[in-house]
Amino acid sequence: MLIDIQDLYKIYNEGQESEVRALDGVSLQIDRGEFVAIVGASGSGKSTMMNVLGCLDVPTRGRYDLNGTDVTSLKDKELAHIRNREIGFIFQGYNLLQDLDALDNVILPLIYRGTSIFEREELAMAALARVGMDGRAHHRPGQMSGGQQQRVAIARAIATHPPIIMADEPTGALDSKTGRHVLSILQQLYREGTTILLITHDDGIAATAPRVVRLSDGKIISDAHQEVDWL
Amino acid sequence: MNLMQAFKMAFKSIASKKMRSFLTMLGIIIGVASVVIMVSVVQGMNKRNMEYLEAQGENKIQVYAFQYYGSSGNVSDLLYEYCLGMQDLVIGVTPQIEVWQDITIKYGAKTFSTQNYDDWTKRLSIQLGSDQFGVCNNYTLGGGRELSFLDVEKTNKVCVLGGGAKKILFDFVDPVGETIFINSQPFLVVGWYEPTGLEGMSSMDNVVLLPYTFNRTLNNNQNIEQYVVKARSATDTTLAIARLKAFLGGFITNGENGYYDVSSNNNWADQVQEQSLMQSLVLGAIAGISLLVGGIGIMNIMLVTVTERTREIGIRKAIGAERKSIIVQFLIEAAVICGIGGLIGILLGCMGALIAGKFLLQGMILWPSSTIAVGAFAFSVALGVLFGMYPAIKASSLQPVEALRAE
């Protein structure tokens, strides 16, 4: 089991009038090599889910085992290692560093990983080539379209070859054609064995995932496998 | 993440926000420059004073004695004899009188005045002394001869030139045997002294020495009130001072029928150094406060930077930056800003010290010591690290998701 969460809670302002239960006792198991869409309306807790699964946030209560390790007991340094080596993030707003060009953005996780200076550029260029952005290596985010920025962000996520990719509304800011292109890149990664977690509010996109987990008010209301046309 | 990479990142970040980085540096630049200038000026003044004392030589006793008009007995001639009688303790004795009257000194077409206070480098002074004037004042004869006992006895119209006076009047020509005119009277130059080599201190070199017996005609004074006694050693100096005080005390009660003073310059050096240390401490403290203010400015800017770049910190953490990396990044940025500021400050300080030397210390060339330069640089970098610490720790302790939420 790659991801195993048991009875997970994320509660803001607990015990107060304004208490919000973003995750309300969620249990979920995801195997290595799955493609899972986590779907829900705005405020359903799906982003919180990804933040907790991605070790960007800590749960209030509950158990989270990643690769057999209890993540809730880990220290900042070990969490940083997991974010660097185990998980690649793709955000709705791309989250590229504006002052760095595409190549430097992709190199960044390799720097934090401690990859030698001689390999870094090669690995980063390879990642850019995978998303078809090797021709724009020295453009800054401000000089690229949204779709291009998202492809650079994907290159950054896959530069360290993490076993898991977590994408939070990756197509949310893109037009449908570019969105499809981004999705096809994720599908290709899935075919190569990467575990994909896709967070979306769009049922159309959810329909392309072999497994769909539906969230509402911080609870899982359905968890189903389905046939998809691209497999 | 290695240090090299961290430095590269810091430079990139500083370069992308030039104006703000410069304003941040300004506090450090001004602080370091003022430290460098202040310390250089104090050191320069100290060096000058020490050189002056050294050029005058050690074991030099200044004797000053005068009696009110109408007092009985004339101590000045007796004093001279008494001094000459202390052969066991002294090397030389000379009256030393500067003529304060306006006197013109002419050679060829050149005319100089003893009252030219507009340009000290061109002002000549007339000193009256004996055949032992050179020995007592630590002069080295460059050519010709000293005044002789006979010159003094007979009030011969001869003179010895100081190194500066020789240069002003004769340039590189050998002055021995030439005649100069002092108040239109011809004086034969019989010798000249080597320059004392004191930069910007012309008063010891721009002298024309005449036999002290000209006191009556040039100075309208028949009493000699000031003597210089050169003792053989520091111990002899102390002994001689004691004897002279006892001798003069027999004639003069200070303030009643006259005034006398006997002192040596042997402990001046210590006083000068002590004084200079005090000055350094006071000025250093003032400059240190300005550096501290600069440091607080750095902290302020770094805090603003942290707030501004919260999202960047979030992104870096999301892709695997450890707390340590974030801290190091911010610390290095602060240290680099302060370091560059420090270097610019040292540069400006050197320039400032040169300018200060030119205008405050008569053209003395002040080079800040390398200790000061290195110290100021190290201090400014340390300030950067110190004041960068709080913002850096603050930046690194954010949860990635909180940081990412920031706009």
Side-chain angles (χ1 to χ4, degrees), chain B residues 245-259:
Chain B
K245 277 185 174 166
F247 173 78
L248 287 168
F251 292 87
I252 302 170
T253 309
N254 267 347
E256 262 179 38
N257 60 339
Y259 181 82

Side-chain angles (χ1 to χ4, degrees), chain B residues 45 94 107 123 258 264 271 324:
Chain B
M45 288 196 308
T94 180
Y107 174 71
R123 176 184 171 259
S264 87
Q271 286 173 9
K324 199 181 73 187

Side-chain angles (χ1 to χ4, degrees), chain B residues 246-283:
Chain B
F247 173 78
L248 287 168
F251 292 87
I252 302 170
T253 309
N254 267 347
E256 262 179 38
N257 60 339
Y259 181 82
Y260 74 90
D261 181 53
V262 184
S263 65
S264 87
N265 61 0
N266 277 7
N267 53 357
W268 287 4
D270 295 339
Q271 286 173 9
V272 165
Q273 241 152 9
E274 205 173 296
Q275 195 189 351
S276 132
L277 185 71
M278 279 302 295
Q279 286 169 338
S280 296
L281 283 178
V282 170
L283 291 177

Side-chain angles (χ1 to χ4, degrees), chain A residues 12 51 56-57 76-77 80-81 83-84 89 91 95-97 99-100 104 108-109 111-112 120 156, chain B residues 1 5 9 12 16-17 311-312 315-323 325 329 399-401 404-405:
Chain A
Y12 296 100
N51 290 336
L56 295 173
D57 206 354
D76 181 85
K77 183 178 167 149
H81 271 250
R83 291 194 290 264
N84 185 235
F89 291 100
F91 301 94
N95 278 344
L96 296 172
L97 294 186
D99 293 334
L100 304 182
D104 280 338
L108 215 50
I111 291 174
Y112 289 125
R120 284 202 296 248
R156 182 180 65 185
Chain B
M1 186 171 68
Q5 198 64 41
M9 271 186 198
K12 256 183 194 166
S16 67
K17 301 201 170 58
R311 194 179 177 82
E312 177 192 330
I315 295 171
R316 285 177 185 272
K317 291 196 103 173
I319 60 176
E322 294 171 25
R323 269 194 78 163
S325 309
Q329 185 194 340
Q399 277 289 337
V401 66
L404 279 170
R405 241 178 244 140

Side-chain angles (χ1 to χ4, degrees), chain A residues 116-188:
Chain A
S116 105
I117 193 162
F118 306 105
E119 289 175 60
R120 284 202 296 248
E121 196 166 325
E122 205 178 312
L123 286 170
M125 281 308 287
L128 280 171
R130 283 216 52 180
V131 296
M133 287 299 293
D134 44 341
R136 300 279 169 122
H138 294 291
H139 288 233
R140 290 187 177 210
Q143 301 164 317
M144 292 186 277
S145 71
Q148 290 172 329
Q149 288 188 59
Q150 193 58 299
R151 276 147 70 191
V152 172
I154 294 173
R156 182 180 65 185
I158 62 176
T160 54
H161 296 286
I164 311 167
I165 294 282
M166 295 191 184
D168 187 1
E169 304 273 12
T171 59
L174 305 176
D175 63 71
S176 58
K177 184 168 167 257
T178 326
R180 275 199 298 278
H181 182 64
V182 166
L183 277 181
S184 72
I185 295 172
L186 291 179
Q187 287 160 2
Q188 181 55 35

